[in-house]
Amino acid sequence: MDYTLKLDQALDRLHEEGRYRTFIDIERQNGQFPHAVWTKPDGSKQDITVWCGNDYLGMGQNPVVLEAMQEALVATGAGSGGTRNISGTTVYHKRLEAELADLHGKESALLFTSAYIANDATLSTLPKLFPGLIIYSDELNHASMIEGVRRNGGAKRIFRHNDVAHLRALMAADDPAAPKLIAFESIYSMDGDFGPISEICDLADEFGALTYIDEVHAVGMYGPRGAGVAERDGLMHRLDIINGTLAKAYGVMGGYIAASDKMCDAIRSYAPGFIFTTSLPPAVAAGAAASVAFLKGAKELRDAHQLQARILKMRLKGLGLPIIDHGSHIVPVMVGNPVHTKMLSDMLLEEHGIYVQPINYPTVPRGTERLRFTPSPVHGPRELDTLVHAMDGLWSHCALNRAEEAC
């Protein structure tokens, strides 16, 4: 076996399809985000504006978060020293879990190193706790949920995206006595559409199923205290397990689930992804706790975020660009070709200092390639004007189609 040849062939396929992923060197500057510095391959530097980040509210540079992290770093040092079972549980981790449990109105929360690990570890562990469990998973669920469901060794059913009738038909066809769980998201990040939370909860009640919701693109940004879409809609009490992230709106790092005491205790005791993973550094946990606590009372920041998203969508629609608008903060502009998408991304960066990554297969289906913008309260009128004018010019330059809207 020529292993090097096989690697070359695998990478060549990506290049040929126009979906080889490149990373650029970005230096975020404290207090200046969304502005950053791009170090080009030749070593020269260029000022850029980041339009595709997940630090949705700019909390990665909020003084409240930085001060909490600095205090914890001075007090405890860099790392946690081990897994949660081996010296890796500190007052900072417990404080963060208490903040998260309070946020979601649950008895407990369990902290992981990322929301990906939280999804994977929890969903792959649940069949151990409920033998014979059938998991019903939305077809557009995040890769971490898909992986957790795939690895659990139990039965799974995939229902068409947001299709409650299809989900009901699948559930009705299964053994009424079998334990069941419905796994879905509140906001699907590629199109920015919302999951039908209330209708799914109704089905869960009808068929005696547990509910598992991923709120990673909603926590911090929706609801009176930022607990997500389920809080906004008054539905948190109907959800058994809520997954969230600390790496997007909260501006730090980590993931979690919030659930009953017994559910968190069981996952803590059985999930290898929790048991054998070194815990977050105390300074990170301290910063995350400060961010969660701060955003519980920051309605004005959430309102400003939604306003920026509405303004950007309105202006892009006014130019006839094919955007998808489901009413969330995510602004996808459809291109439909991986080569063109990469070309637009490169031209925005090199000619206009605007950084937005191309979104290609397998993140989205072939033929739906796009640029995905994430406006935030720290993107001001000048940044918005620059982006809109650049998109208008490049769309004409590349002779791409214009439409009222994509969806």
Side-chain angles (χ1 to χ4, degrees):
M1 170 67 74
D2 187 339
Y3 295 101
T4 300
L5 175 62
K6 292 297 182 183
L7 293 174
D8 287 338
Q9 291 172 343
L11 293 171
D12 286 344
R13 285 196 298 271
L14 297 179
H15 283 289
E16 290 166 4
E17 294 174 13
R19 60 186 186 92
Y20 178 76
R21 297 170 188 247
T22 58
F23 304 140
I24 73 169
D25 295 333
I26 299 176
E27 182 181 349
R28 284 167 55 109
Q29 297 177 312
N30 183 22
Q32 301 300 313
F33 190 75
H35 300 288
V37 176
W38 169 36
T39 301
K40 301 181 180 181
D42 64 5
S44 62
K45 296 182 182 295
Q46 178 180 334
D47 292 333
I48 63 171
T49 302
V50 178
W51 273 98
C52 58
N54 285 337
D55 186 359
Y56 290 130
L57 301 179
M59 291 301 292
Q61 61 187 5
N62 188 294
V64 170
V65 176
L66 300 185
E67 289 168 10
M69 294 186 72
Q70 289 165 352
E71 289 176 6
L73 181 64
V74 171
T76 68
S80 70
T83 67
R84 291 291 294 274
N85 305 298
I86 307 174
S87 79
T89 296
T90 70
V91 64
Y92 302 100
H93 297 88
K94 300 300 289 184
R95 183 180 302 153
L96 174 54
E97 288 175 336
E99 284 285 359
L100 293 168
D102 171 75
L103 175 69
H104 292 290
K106 299 299 183 186
E107 293 175 339
S108 292
L110 191 63
L111 183 62
F112 294 80
T113 50
S114 72
Y116 187 109
I117 298 299
N119 272 333
D120 184 11
T122 303
L123 288 168
S124 62
T125 298
L126 287 169
K128 300 176 187 176
L129 305 173
F130 307 106
L133 180 70
I134 303 171
I135 296 183
Y136 303 84
S137 178
D138 188 289
E139 66 177 343
L140 293 189
N141 277 343
H142 189 265
S144 58
M145 301 174 76
I146 294 171
E147 184 66 13
V149 172
R150 184 189 67 81
R151 287 198 312 107
N152 67 31
K156 65 176 181 293
R157 311 281 186 262
I158 309 302
F159 62 93
R160 291 187 293 270
H161 178 54
N162 280 352
D163 190 334
V164 179
H166 186 219
L167 172 59
R168 191 186 192 289
L170 291 174
M171 299 184 78
D174 283 321
D175 181 358
K180 300 174 178 67
L181 178 138
I182 307 170
F184 64 109
E185 300 185 34
S186 64
I187 297 179
Y188 291 84
S189 63
M190 289 301 109
D191 286 352
D193 55 330
F194 294 89
I197 303 175
S198 180
E199 293 89 341
I200 286 178
C201 288
D202 289 343
L203 278 183
D205 290 344
E206 180 181 351
F207 289 95
L210 296 171
T211 48
Y212 185 105
I213 190 170
D214 179 307
E215 287 253 39
V216 296
H217 287 279
V219 289
M221 297 174 286
Y222 293 82
R225 299 201 306 159
V229 178
E231 183 194 30
R232 182 197 70 181
D233 296 346
L235 297 169
M236 283 197 300
H237 65 287
R238 301 187 67 187
L239 296 159
D240 295 293
I241 304 174
I242 298 174
N243 169 277
T245 186
L246 302 163
K248 292 181 170 62
Y250 293 116
V252 193
M253 179 185 175
Y256 63 89
I257 60 168
S260 67
D261 282 334
K262 289 186 184 298
M263 183 68 76
C264 288
D265 192 21
I267 298 299
R268 176 190 71 83
S269 301
Y270 280 87
F274 177 85
I275 296 169
F276 298 107
T277 300
T278 298
S279 65
L280 288 174
V284 173
S291 186
V292 172
F294 176 87
L295 284 180
K296 286 176 180 177
K299 180 180 181 297
E300 72 288 346
L301 201 55
R302 284 187 280 281
D303 291 343
H305 180 228
Q306 292 294 322
L307 177 61
Q308 286 291 79
R310 288 196 298 271
I311 291 172
L312 178 58
K313 286 185 283 191
M314 177 184 67
R315 294 189 64 179
L316 293 177
K317 283 182 184 180
L319 297 174
L321 298 192
I323 78 166
I324 296 176
D325 183 7
H326 289 291
S328 74
H329 61 284
I330 293 168
V331 186
V333 180
M334 305 303 290
V335 182
N337 178 288
V339 176
H340 292 165
T341 308
K342 180 67 166 63
M343 184 186 306
L344 283 168
S345 174
D346 290 344
M347 294 172 74
L348 283 167
L349 180 63
E350 294 163 6
E351 298 175 14
H352 300 277
I354 292 169
Y355 177 50
V356 56
Q357 266 284 22
I359 307 294
N360 293 327
Y361 177 84
T363 306
V364 295
R366 298 181 194 275
T368 69
E369 293 82 5
R370 67 199 65 184
L371 299 173
R372 175 180 172 275
F373 296 94
T374 53
S376 76
V378 294
H379 288 94
R382 181 170 61 88
E383 289 83 7
L384 196 63
D385 286 343
T386 300
L387 171 63
V388 171
H389 293 150
M391 288 291 286
D392 188 24
L394 288 179
W395 224 257
S396 297
H397 175 77
C398 297
L400 296 173
N401 291 331
R402 299 189 188 236
E404 287 303 316
E405 59 181 277
C407 182

